[in-house]
């Protein structure tokens, strides 16, 4: 992997957690091809690491998470004969990142602060857990830029906050803060300060690490497939996955530990 890709995305590992940090202050973490390639490499590497159980997305800059697409690059693409092909190349790579996150067998966490505009926010809507500093600013200005929504915005927003609120955000293109939408279901947590947010992320990762990591992928699959399965189909899948858990020799000790905790309370 080239040094340029490594420089725009930093990865640090700590106790089974891959912290993937956007790190291109010159472009305010714009979602260009370099950033997309770096992120895709980092996510794939984390997904393939058997010692990793969680992936956390952050920005190294305190003032911003991501400015989304570069407006100047979009202007240039709009006047370039190859503009459609070049834009498609970037979007396809960003879509690969979304699918890697959505299908990840790991816990995936997005921690937003500063501002995350358009695609800089939508790229990580697929994360299992989303937390934001209350002052973080967001905007979905596709309509006024002349584009239709992309990077999963029209898929996840209606599922998280409903069609009515999604339509309002996309039609008006207004700026909103995490504090304003704290009770909408867009975020699992909205906290006062960035330092508190980072502490909460570490606490979450510690809690999840205590469970059976091999079940995480199937747990996510069960929740998501419930929308497109009949009750009978879903009950059967739950049964099969539940029985499979007995194949893990560690389950006996887990059950004993829970039993001891219950007796002591």
């Amino acid at each position: 992997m080239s040094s340029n890709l490594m420089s725009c995305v930093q990865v640090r590992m700590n106790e089974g957690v891959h912290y993937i940090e956007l790190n291109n202050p010159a472009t305010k973490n714009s979602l260009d091809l370099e950033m997309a390639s770096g992120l895709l490499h980092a996510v794939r590497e984390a997904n393939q690491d058997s010692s990793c159980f969680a992936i956390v997305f952050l920005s190294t800059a305190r003032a911003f998470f991501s400015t989304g697409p570069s407006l100047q690059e979009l202007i240039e693409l709009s006047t370039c004969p190859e503009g459609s092909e070049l834009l498609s190349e970037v979007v396809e790579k960003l879509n690969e990142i979304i699918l890697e996150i959505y299908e990840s067998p790991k816990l995936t966490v997005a921690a937003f602060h500063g501002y995350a505009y358009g695609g800089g926010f939508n790229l990580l809507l697929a994360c299992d857990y989303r937390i934001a500093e209350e002052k973080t600013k967001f905007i979905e200005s596709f309509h006024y830029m002349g584009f239709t929504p992309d990077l999963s915005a029209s898929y996840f927003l209606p599922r998280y906050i409903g069609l009515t609120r999604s339509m309002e955000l996309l039609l008006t293109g207004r700026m909103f803060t995490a504090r304003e939408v704290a009770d909408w279901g867009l975020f699992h947590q909205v906290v006062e300060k960035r330092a508190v947010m980072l502490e909460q992320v570490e606490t979450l990762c510690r809690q999840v690490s205590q469970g059976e990591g091999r079940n995480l992928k199937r747990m996510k699959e069960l929740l998501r497939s419930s929308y497109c399965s009949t009750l009978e189909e879903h009950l059967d899948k739950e049964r099969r996955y539940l029985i499979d858990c007995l194949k893990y020799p560690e389950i006996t000790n887990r059950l004993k530990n829970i039993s001891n905790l219950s007796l002591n309370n």
Side-chain angles (χ1 to χ4, degrees):
M1 189 176 184
S2 73
S3 59
N4 285 341
L5 297 185
M6 290 297 292
S7 64
C8 72
V9 176
Q10 290 187 353
V11 179
R12 55 187 175 89
M13 290 160 277
N14 184 40
E15 297 181 347
V17 181
H18 277 229
Y19 293 90
I20 298 177
E21 300 177 303
L22 283 66
N23 181 48
N24 195 348
T27 68
K28 293 184 170 57
N29 293 335
S30 173
L31 299 181
D32 54 21
L33 187 59
E34 181 181 318
M35 176 64 78
S37 299
L39 280 173
L40 181 58
H41 176 85
V43 177
R44 281 179 171 167
E45 194 172 64
N47 278 339
Q48 294 167 7
D49 184 351
S50 60
S51 68
C52 168
F53 74 89
I55 306 171
V56 178
F57 296 91
L58 299 163
S59 168
T60 57
R62 295 183 65 88
F64 55 85
F65 189 88
S66 173
T67 191
S70 165
L71 290 177
Q72 185 56 44
E73 286 191 9
L74 288 176
I75 292 170
E76 293 173 2
L77 290 175
S78 70
T79 60
C80 172
E82 301 85 20
S84 296
E85 290 77 10
L86 294 173
L87 179 59
S88 180
E89 180 183 3
V90 177
V91 174
E92 285 177 5
K93 196 168 290 289
L94 292 169
N95 284 345
E96 287 185 68
I97 296 170
I98 294 169
L99 291 173
E100 284 283 340
I101 294 172
Y102 188 69
E103 296 169 358
S104 175
K106 324 292 184 180
L107 168 71
T108 54
V109 181
F112 298 102
H113 60 89
Y115 57 81
Y117 294 159
F121 174 48
N122 300 329
L123 182 68
L124 298 177
L125 286 174
C127 284
D128 303 318
Y129 201 90
R130 299 170 303 282
I131 183 172
E133 182 183 15
E134 63 179 8
K135 295 183 294 185
T136 310
K137 297 176 181 178
F138 304 90
I139 193 168
E140 300 282 5
S141 56
F142 296 100
H143 187 53
Y144 296 93
M145 293 171 65
F147 288 108
T148 51
D150 68 350
L151 302 185
S152 80
S154 58
Y155 184 87
F156 286 115
L157 286 179
R159 286 166 169 76
Y160 294 157
I161 65 176
L163 184 60
T164 299
R165 282 173 167 160
S166 299
M167 190 73 76
E168 187 262 333
L169 292 180
L170 291 170
L171 284 178
T172 64
R174 68 178 179 86
M175 188 172 292
F176 60 95
T177 64
R179 181 195 296 119
E180 179 186 348
V181 301
D183 62 348
W184 284 18
L186 195 52
F187 303 104
H188 297 82
Q189 278 185 279
V190 173
V191 297
E192 185 178 352
K193 296 180 179 179
R194 183 174 184 269
V196 175
M197 178 180 71
L198 297 178
E199 290 175 1
Q200 291 297 314
V201 168
E202 290 181 3
T203 299
L204 172 69
C205 289
R206 282 197 300 270
Q207 289 175 333
V208 173
S209 70
Q210 301 305 308
E212 176 51 74
R214 287 169 291 192
N215 287 338
L216 188 56
K217 182 177 182 179
R218 283 188 162 184
M219 185 187 301
K220 293 198 284 187
E221 181 192 340
L222 284 168
L223 290 172
R224 292 164 180 167
S225 64
S226 66
Y227 288 99
C228 56
S229 302
T230 65
L231 177 58
E232 183 178 7
E233 290 170 340
H234 202 73
L235 287 171
D236 183 63
K237 181 182 286 188
E238 284 184 330
R239 177 192 59 79
R240 287 186 285 107
Y241 286 2
L242 181 71
I243 300 306
D244 277 350
C245 294
L246 289 178
K247 296 176 181 178
Y248 303 146
E250 300 88 347
I251 194 170
T252 303
N253 287 332
R254 288 187 178 279
L255 294 171
K256 287 180 178 179
N257 288 337
I258 291 175
S259 177
N260 291 335
L261 286 174
S262 300
L263 291 173
N264 293 329
N265 289 336

